[in-house]
Amino acid sequence: MSPRCATLGSVPEPDEISNDVPRPEGRPDTRMPPWLPRAMVLALALVACFQLATWGFHQLITLLLNVLIAFFLALAVEPAVDWMAARGMRRGLATGLVFLSILVAAAGFFALLGSMLAGQITTMVEEFPQYLDSLISWTNNTLHTHLSRVEVQNNLLKSDWLQKYVQDSANNVLAVSATVLGSLFNLLTVALFSFYFAADGPRLRRALCSVLPPHRQAEVLRAWEIAVAKTGGYLYSRGLMALISGIAHYVLLEVLGVPYAPALAIWVGLVSQFIPTIGTYLAGALPILIAFTVNPWYAVWVFGFVVIYQQFENYLLQPRITARTVDIHPAVAFGSVVAGTALMGAVGALIAIPATATLQAFLGAYVKRYEVTDDLRVLGRRGRGARALARVRRTLRSDQPSSPLEDREADGDPAAQGEGQGAVR
């Protein structure tokens, strides 16, 4: 073989050319980095997973809310189930008895309320012409008009808004039926999950603790115990406020002579306390309606009493009872309800206080607290603590003569306290 052939045969292939060969100046490297395709695929996969998770969360949001409500309901009935289980009854049977008693009480209450409401509606329909005559007579005498019942009835029946309302109601029958069926399904879902949570409480705790180390197991069990206590305290506070509200409204309705005063009082107490946000309006509407059938002015009295009592309950009664039973500050309780309503609506308002109390009590064990220094700015400039602290300091320095400024501080003189703080600065 010739030297030229040997030289040509030893020419390296293109793949064997080293990357270290210098490139001509002014020509940038236009090759794609080897990691870029993999990075693009990974980014697209992450975006797809995020979109899928968001879609799944929105599809399951109703189920998740139902499970959350069922969990807190199970925490509320667990003390009663534990009490019966400690006396030899099976947890499943004990849970069934608790839920059966709740169902019977609710069914009896709504049956009584339904019969009362049906009777009052019948009475109102029969006496509606008399109410209309009284209203027309009062309007004619007060405003010097010449209205008649026949004219008012014809204008009312031929009005466009009434016809439109009837037509819209007829068109929305299917939507209303679907809403009612959906509410019943959600109620059954909550009842089923809460039954299993309460009946299998120990098994659920064991399953949860089996995947945690021992020190984490103690924390989980402690948090569960706190949640049971705080949820029970919240229900106790709501029950106490419902009792007070029911007694107050019963006295008013009995004085006015409104029929079915006990049932109406129970309605006001339960609905106003256990239905958040709109419970107050639902609770007050029915007594006002029943009082109107007796005397229209009685409805005005009931309306005024409902408004005044709600202000008394919101600003005086509820903060004190909630702070004592759930052991959280009234401002924190109010803020938690507002935040829960903004996040999850009525469900958030219902479970906000027990959830906040549980979280506060659990985190309180991990917050290190220090002794507060004896300072007039902490104890209060004009309070008894400030004067007592000044006297204690003067007693400790009894070997030195006290100055007139210290004597004035001990007596609670604001000017002297300001002078003393200025001197300290």
Side-chain angles (χ1 to χ4, degrees):
M1 182 181 297
S2 64
R4 182 178 179 182
C5 294
T7 304
L8 292 175
S10 62
V11 175
E13 297 294 331
D15 294 339
E16 298 178 0
I17 298 176
S18 174
N19 293 329
D20 297 334
V21 177
R23 301 182 183 90
E25 295 184 359
R27 294 184 59 185
D29 188 8
T30 59
R31 291 180 301 173
M32 180 183 297
W35 54 266
L36 185 58
R38 287 176 294 180
M40 294 176 62
V41 172
L42 181 60
L44 292 176
L46 291 177
V47 172
C49 291
F50 176 76
Q51 294 291 338
L52 182 61
T54 304
W55 174 81
F57 178 78
H58 284 293
Q59 295 296 323
L60 298 176
I61 186 64
T62 303
L63 177 61
L64 296 177
L65 290 178
N66 290 336
V67 172
L68 186 62
I69 297 174
F71 177 72
F72 276 94
L73 181 59
L75 293 179
V77 302
E78 190 168 353
V81 175
D82 291 339
W83 182 82
M84 288 187 286
R87 282 154 179 79
M89 187 179 297
R90 296 177 57 186
R91 289 190 64 89
L93 180 59
T95 307
L97 289 178
V98 171
F99 277 89
L100 182 61
S101 61
I102 295 175
L103 179 62
V104 169
F109 171 72
F110 282 108
L112 177 63
L113 195 65
S115 61
M116 175 199 69
L117 188 60
Q120 292 301 316
I121 290 176
T122 303
T123 303
M124 289 182 61
V125 171
E126 293 176 353
E127 298 181 356
F128 180 76
Q130 300 179 6
Y131 297 145
L132 187 58
D133 289 338
S134 300
L135 180 61
I136 292 174
S137 177
W138 178 85
T139 304
N140 291 333
N141 295 331
T142 304
L143 304 178
H144 304 288
T145 57
H146 302 283
L147 299 176
S148 63
R149 187 177 71 182
V150 177
E151 181 181 358
V152 173
Q153 289 178 348
N154 291 333
N155 292 333
L156 182 63
L157 294 176
K158 295 179 181 180
S159 60
D160 295 336
W161 69 268
L162 181 61
Q163 296 178 1
K164 183 178 180 180
Y165 175 77
V166 173
Q167 184 178 1
D168 293 341
S169 300
N171 294 332
N172 293 332
V173 170
L174 183 60
V176 172
S177 302
T179 303
V180 171
L181 292 177
S183 300
L184 291 176
F185 179 77
N186 291 333
L187 184 62
L188 291 176
T189 303
V190 170
L192 183 63
F193 274 106
S194 59
F195 176 84
Y196 282 121
F197 285 156
D200 293 339
R203 185 184 304 174
L204 180 62
R205 288 190 287 270
R206 286 197 301 269
L208 183 61
C209 292
S210 62
V211 296
L212 298 174
H215 64 283
R216 295 296 182 186
Q217 294 179 12
E219 294 179 358
V220 169
L221 295 176
R222 182 175 179 274
W224 196 294
E225 183 179 359
I226 292 175
V228 172
K230 295 303 180 180
T231 305
Y234 172 72
L235 291 179
Y236 168 76
S237 63
R238 287 293 176 179
L240 182 59
M241 287 190 293
L243 178 62
I244 297 174
S245 177
I247 293 175
H249 287 84
Y250 170 75
V251 172
L252 173 68
L253 297 175
E254 193 67 28
V255 169
L256 295 178
V258 178
Y260 303 101
L264 289 175
I266 297 174
W267 163 266
V268 172
L270 293 179
V271 174
S272 63
Q273 301 304 323
F274 291 99
I275 296 182
T277 309
I278 62 172
T280 301
Y281 308 102
L282 293 177
L286 185 58
I288 293 172
L289 181 64
I290 303 301
F292 183 82
T293 61
V294 180
N295 190 332
W297 284 107
Y298 287 176
V300 177
W301 282 102
V302 174
F303 174 76
F305 181 82
V306 168
V307 172
I308 295 174
Y309 181 81
Q310 286 301 320
Q311 303 306 315
F312 165 76
E313 180 183 278
N314 293 336
Y315 291 100
L316 294 178
L317 186 62
Q318 179 176 351
R320 296 178 182 274
I321 294 179
T322 302
R324 290 180 179 274
T325 55
V326 192
D327 194 21
I328 61 176
H329 194 274
V332 177
F334 178 75
S336 63
V337 172
V338 174
T341 305
L343 292 175
M344 293 185 293
V347 176
L350 186 63
I351 66 176
I353 293 181
T356 303
T358 302
L359 182 62
Q360 175 181 317
F362 182 70
L363 295 180
Y366 300 95
V367 177
K368 186 177 181 180
R369 298 183 181 273
Y370 301 91
E371 183 179 358
V372 180
T373 59
D374 294 335
D375 195 299
L376 296 179
R377 290 168 294 184
V378 177
L379 299 177
R381 298 178 184 272
R382 300 182 182 180
R384 295 180 179 178
R387 294 195 295 269
L389 178 61
R391 291 192 179 94
V392 168
R393 288 178 175 176
R394 187 175 60 179
T395 302
L396 294 176
R397 296 195 300 265
S398 59
D399 55 338
Q400 300 177 359
S402 59
S403 63
L405 180 60
E406 291 178 345
D407 294 335
R408 291 167 59 192
E409 287 183 357
D411 294 333
D413 189 355
Q417 294 174 1
E419 295 174 7
Q421 293 175 2
V424 170
R425 295 192 184 95

